[in-house]
Amino acid sequence: MERNRQPVERFLGGRGPVVDVRAPAEFAQGHIPGARNLPLFSDDERAAVGTTYKQQGRQAAVQLGLELVGPRLGELGRQLKALAAESDGEPLRLHCWRGGMRSESMAWLATQLDLSVLLLEGGYKAFRRWVLERFECSWPIHLMGGRTGSGKTDLLLALANRQAAVVDLEGLAHHRGSSFGSLGMPPQPSTEHYENRIAITLEGLREAEQIWVEAESAQVGRCRIPAGLWRQMQAAPLLEIRRPLEERLEQLVAVYGVQDPSALREATERIARRLGPQRTSAALAAIAEQQWGEAARQMLDYYDRCYDHELERHGGSNQHQLLGHVDLSGLSADAAADQLISRGVIKAQGRNAA
């Protein structure tokens, strides 16, 4: 039976649940954001079928696949019907790695249950090609810079709530970008899945006049910013936000003062060589006494020097890359976002015509 196959962008634009039928380890490595994993084979079963294919050929591998899946057809059918019940009548969007036998088999089962299905032409492999192509497109990237504790992430999120085009690189990576960045955050995705998340977010901002991202290092925790996007960030205009030291300390205490002291101590020890023995000792003593503000103060000298160096390097070859700075002293993230939009410094998508 001929299946309804769709290219990547049309498939992604659908409304029904995306059902990834690859093995759990494949799904964990990277998947279409929002997809549900309904594996045809377990990880071990997939490995066994692959080995059989290499050693005995296609027919033997297909036979083994039938024997493995046969006892579970009823349960797979129940899970497909449960997903379809959530779809408001929209077809299930199925895919495997290449768009071959695994998705075809699951589509066959779905049609036996009178469920509508769509297949992704070329499977997840085609989606990954599409993802990597996004980073070679030209995007109107603008950087939000500022010293540690300036509240850049909170400001970007407030701007996003006001229809400004924002890609939260730290949020997508589940990491705040420093030695302390993983504290209190969920586990990080793989770099592959990080790329998937960024690509989907960028594509949703296709019509934006400006796309704002935080000025980052190439690595956000263990996640690497895609090379094509990173090149564009290096050449992007940068707006620096400034807040007084005491406000920055308050921000850091609010974020990190609630974390496990032992985790704070370990993160401090990881940068001990860069902090120097005196500041490291003072920071560790402050953590032991739960003097969070003093601990943060000891760190800021190092992080400020790093930031100032990066700012100088960013505008060193072309001062036009620096859009200047704005002082946000005393302003909440929401008030700062309102001010930046009302002054026309940052354009909200719904207000560009104004």
Side-chain angles (χ1 to χ4, degrees):
M1 180 182 296
E2 185 65 26
R3 307 293 180 197
N4 188 355
R5 296 181 177 273
Q6 295 186 334
V8 173
E9 290 193 4
R10 190 174 171 195
F11 183 88
L12 294 176
R15 299 176 61 185
V18 176
V19 184
D20 185 331
V21 305
R22 295 176 302 148
E26 294 175 283
F27 184 83
Q29 177 64 24
H31 53 269
I32 296 174
R36 312 278 282 276
N37 190 207
L38 181 55
L40 189 66
F41 298 126
S42 69
D43 295 329
D44 290 343
E45 289 170 343
R46 172 177 170 259
V49 170
T51 299
T52 300
Y53 184 90
K54 290 178 182 178
Q55 295 178 349
Q56 301 178 44
R58 180 180 183 278
Q59 189 175 54
V62 170
Q63 180 62 39
L64 176 59
L66 290 171
E67 293 171 2
L68 292 171
V69 173
R72 294 192 291 110
L73 283 177
E75 177 57 28
L76 290 171
R78 279 190 289 274
Q79 292 183 63
L80 284 170
K81 287 192 290 185
L83 288 168
E86 302 174 12
S87 71
D88 293 327
E90 297 289 339
L92 296 173
R93 293 179 286 164
L94 301 178
H95 75 85
C96 58
W97 167 237
R98 291 192 188 90
M101 287 193 67
R102 285 186 287 178
S103 55
E104 278 282 357
S105 299
M106 200 70 88
W108 171 86
L109 178 59
T111 56
Q112 304 313 301
L113 299 169
D114 298 324
L115 304 177
S116 298
V117 296
L118 300 173
L119 294 181
L120 173 58
E121 184 68 46
Y124 178 75
K125 186 177 182 180
F127 170 73
R128 280 294 296 166
R129 284 197 300 270
W130 177 88
V131 164
L132 296 178
E133 288 166 2
R134 297 313 93 194
F135 305 127
E136 301 308 318
C137 297
S138 178
W139 300 95
I141 299 297
H142 288 59
L143 300 183
M144 179 76 71
R147 288 180 163 185
T148 299
S150 298
K152 299 182 292 294
T153 298
D154 288 346
L155 177 56
L156 286 172
L157 295 177
L159 288 165
N161 288 336
R162 289 155 175 77
Q163 284 71 58
V166 168
V167 179
D168 181 7
L169 293 173
E170 292 187 353
L172 294 174
H174 295 165
H175 200 281
R176 298 186 188 90
S178 71
S179 176
F180 303 85
S182 64
L183 301 184
M185 300 291 279
Q188 285 200 265
S190 67
T191 288
E192 178 180 311
H193 193 55
Y194 185 49
E195 292 171 347
N196 295 347
R197 288 177 161 185
I198 295 173
I200 290 290
T201 304
L202 279 173
E203 191 63 18
L205 303 174
R206 172 62 68 180
E207 303 302 319
E209 186 176 344
Q210 301 173 338
I211 296 177
W212 287 90
V213 303
E214 186 169 337
E216 297 283 0
S217 301
Q219 198 97 2
V220 186
R222 73 178 186 186
C223 294
R224 180 166 289 277
I225 294 174
L229 178 60
W230 175 247
R231 286 194 298 271
Q232 295 185 55
M233 290 172 63
Q234 294 297 95
L238 183 147
L239 175 69
E240 182 185 19
I241 64 171
R242 294 181 179 176
R243 291 187 183 274
L245 175 61
E246 292 307 315
E247 287 188 19
R248 294 165 55 212
L249 289 172
E250 289 176 9
Q251 170 79 7
L252 293 172
V253 169
V255 172
Y256 295 109
V258 296
Q259 305 301 331
D260 179 5
S262 63
L264 288 170
R265 184 172 59 251
E266 290 172 9
T268 301
E269 290 169 344
R270 282 198 294 271
I271 58 171
R273 189 169 59 179
R274 287 169 280 177
L275 283 176
Q278 186 174 349
R279 289 193 179 277
T280 299
S281 177
L284 291 174
I287 291 170
E289 297 172 11
Q290 299 190 7
Q291 295 179 356
W292 310 125
E294 181 57 28
R297 193 183 298 272
Q298 296 300 326
M299 314 289 180
L300 281 184
D301 177 68
Y302 162 68
Y303 281 112
D304 285 354
R305 283 187 282 110
C306 290
Y307 170 75
D308 292 345
H309 173 74
E310 287 299 313
L311 182 65
E312 182 179 356
R313 187 188 60 79
H314 189 81
S317 60
N318 183 0
Q319 285 294 314
H320 293 297
Q321 287 182 237
L322 302 179
L323 298 175
H325 67 268
V326 289
D327 190 332
L328 301 181
S329 301
L331 295 178
S332 67
D334 287 329
D338 288 335
Q339 182 182 109
L340 291 172
I341 290 174
S342 66
R343 288 169 52 188
V345 177
I346 291 178
K347 300 181 185 298
Q349 294 187 83
R351 308 181 195 186
N352 285 349

